[in-house]
Amino acid sequence: MDSTLILENLSTAVMVVNDELKISYINTAASQLLGLRSSKLQQVSLNQVVDSSDIEWQTLKTTVAQGQSLAVNRCQITTFDGEIHTVDFMLSPLMPSDKLSVLELRKVDQQRRIYQQSQQDAQQQAARFLVRNLAHEIKNPLGGLRGAAQLLERELKGNELTEFTRMIIEQTDRMGNLVDRLLGPQRPVAHKVYNIHQVCEKVLNLAQLSLPPHITFKRDYDPSLPDFAMEPEQMQQALLNVIQNAIEAMGEQEGQIIVKTRTRHQVTLGQVRHKLVLELSVIDDGKGVPFELQDTLFYPMVTGREQGSGLGLSIAQQIAHVHQGRLDFESRPGQTVFSFLIPIAYKEQQ
């Protein structure tokens, strides 16, 4: 069996370096971690694409030259694309005579995120169950109220009091629409093979119509992304909800919103590991999500704005779920990232 095939399917970042820390081999997981294509990383020095105050580069070079091992636990690194990761850093001799070593970077922040995501999923599922039952309980009397108002309107035909029956009908319809929005999509409708960048462009063109002049959009697309089966209208709604949330979060602050697409390999979503996943990110440089809202941000009716409904992110998360994916976020002052992770190939559940 080809050992390269095994290395390329590992979720652990693996590379081979010499005593000058020049990279002679890098697997797919390492390429994604460092934020650069493997063709651009070979024969580049590791310290040119990774920054870390936890690593002494000269010590690392000496360790490789002497054919020794080195381990640094919970090491924080900043990669070439500006991302910050916490990793376990392990260096092992490969060919001491040629001064070559194997370097493994295991993301411990990913393990923490998977645990947090499982906890969050359980809480959100309980919240959705409660909302769904409550919504059905509300819709039943609303239907009766609307029907009674219609009957009364027929009896009062030509009477000025029909103004009030029409008001009752309008308000019950408004409440019914709100309940439908609370329920959100329960499963995707008919799928079609579609290009995610067409979805992005439709959403950005629509959002541009009401975009404040102090905010700009920036596109950062991966042109190699394949078309895949999705429900494009639902994906447009989910992306638009997140972009509108970013616009509102920016307020009067001048800045930009980046829509970024990438592929990720060997990603665990729920209990399933997927070989290829779309990562669709919306990045803004606003003030960030208030700390007190971060644990409940995707719950229905949770919002940090006076005029907000608190449904946009909840619906976006639900659309990601019915596409077998999820919506993640990371936030700190100056950068907030919402990322859809959607399997590029999956079998629709019957």
Side-chain angles (χ1 to χ4, degrees):
M1 182 179 291
D2 187 358
S3 59
T4 302
L5 182 62
I6 298 174
L7 288 168
E8 290 302 313
N9 283 278
L10 289 176
S11 59
T12 301
V14 177
M15 61 191 83
V16 176
V17 297
N18 65 11
D19 60 339
E20 292 299 320
L21 301 186
K22 287 192 179 297
I23 302 169
S24 57
Y25 169 79
I26 183 167
N27 72 348
T28 300
S31 175
Q32 290 194 329
L33 175 64
L34 300 184
L36 288 171
R37 296 186 183 278
S38 57
S39 58
K40 294 184 178 180
L41 285 170
Q42 292 194 13
Q43 297 307 316
V44 171
S45 294
L46 181 64
N47 54 334
Q48 291 179 306
V49 292
V50 173
D51 184 30
S52 176
S53 59
D54 296 331
I55 301 172
E56 177 55 56
W57 299 113
Q58 187 55 51
T59 300
L60 208 60
K61 292 178 181 179
T62 303
T63 302
V64 176
Q66 295 178 352
Q68 297 178 346
S69 299
L70 178 69
V72 181
N73 293 325
R74 300 192 64 82
C75 169
Q76 193 170 80
I77 63 172
T78 303
T79 54
F80 189 79
D81 56 359
E83 296 292 325
I84 299 174
H85 303 280
T86 304
V87 299
D88 285 342
F89 188 101
M90 284 163 285
L91 188 71
S92 305
L94 176 65
M95 299 175 64
S97 60
D98 294 331
K99 297 182 179 180
L100 292 176
S101 293
V102 173
L103 176 61
E104 297 176 70
L105 300 177
R106 295 179 182 172
K107 293 175 64 175
V108 295
D109 52 355
Q110 184 177 6
Q111 297 170 355
R112 177 176 52 83
R113 188 178 298 132
I114 290 173
Y115 172 76
Q116 289 177 337
Q117 186 65 44
S118 65
Q119 294 291 102
Q120 188 181 63
D121 285 347
Q123 292 172 351
Q124 289 174 358
Q125 186 174 1
R128 283 195 298 271
F129 179 77
L130 176 63
V131 167
R132 188 159 53 246
N133 287 341
L134 181 61
H136 284 302
E137 290 298 320
I138 293 174
K139 288 194 79 170
N140 289 335
L142 277 181
L145 184 61
R146 191 182 194 282
Q150 286 177 317
L151 290 174
L152 184 59
E153 187 175 44
R154 290 174 192 169
E155 293 294 326
L156 295 173
K157 196 169 184 178
N159 192 304
E160 62 182 12
L161 293 177
T162 56
E163 174 187 350
F164 299 104
T165 57
R166 190 163 294 110
M167 185 182 301
I168 294 172
I169 293 171
E170 288 174 356
Q171 291 304 310
T172 53
D173 287 343
R174 187 179 71 84
M175 287 295 295
N177 289 334
L178 177 61
V179 169
D180 288 338
R181 290 182 65 199
L182 274 171
L183 287 171
Q186 299 304 303
R187 57 173 296 162
V189 295
H191 288 155
K192 61 177 75 172
V193 175
Y194 210 77
N195 187 285
I196 191 62
H197 297 138
Q198 290 180 315
V199 170
C200 296
E201 286 304 302
K202 286 184 178 181
V203 171
L204 288 174
N205 290 336
L206 180 61
Q208 188 75 49
L209 298 176
S210 57
L211 187 68
H214 60 277
I215 299 176
T216 58
F217 285 144
K218 179 182 177 182
R219 296 159 172 83
D220 183 3
Y221 296 160
D222 179 355
S224 68
L225 265 167
D227 297 352
F228 64 98
M230 70 177 82
E231 205 300 298
E233 290 188 1
Q234 285 189 358
M235 288 301 299
Q236 287 173 31
Q237 180 187 3
L239 180 58
L240 182 60
N241 286 356
V242 174
I243 288 178
Q244 286 179 332
N245 189 74
I247 293 172
E248 292 169 359
M250 296 279 288
E252 300 300 319
Q253 176 184 337
E254 184 175 345
Q256 71 174 0
I257 295 172
I258 303 171
V259 177
K260 177 180 177 181
T261 60
R262 292 292 186 271
T263 55
R264 287 177 56 182
H265 296 260
Q266 304 298 332
V267 177
T268 300
L269 299 174
Q271 302 299 318
V272 181
R273 190 164 194 80
H274 298 274
K275 289 185 177 180
L276 190 62
V277 166
L278 161 72
E279 183 177 43
L280 170 58
S281 301
V282 176
I283 307 166
D284 71 70
D285 50 7
K287 297 178 180 178
V289 178
F291 179 77
E292 62 272 14
L293 294 182
Q294 292 190 9
D295 288 340
T296 57
L297 190 61
F298 294 116
Y299 286 10
M301 313 302 288
V302 173
T303 178
R305 301 183 302 275
E306 291 184 5
Q307 303 301 320
S309 67
L311 294 176
L313 292 178
S314 175
I315 291 172
Q317 177 74 292
Q318 181 65 8
I319 290 172
H321 281 165
V322 296
H323 280 79
Q324 311 301 315
R326 70 171 188 249
L327 175 59
D328 290 343
F329 86 97
E330 293 183 356
S331 183
R332 61 179 186 269
Q335 186 180 75
T336 297
V337 183
F338 282 87
S339 297
F340 291 94
L341 298 174
I342 307 292
I344 286 181
Y346 72 92
K347 294 181 180 179
E348 183 181 1
Q349 294 180 345
Q350 300 298 323

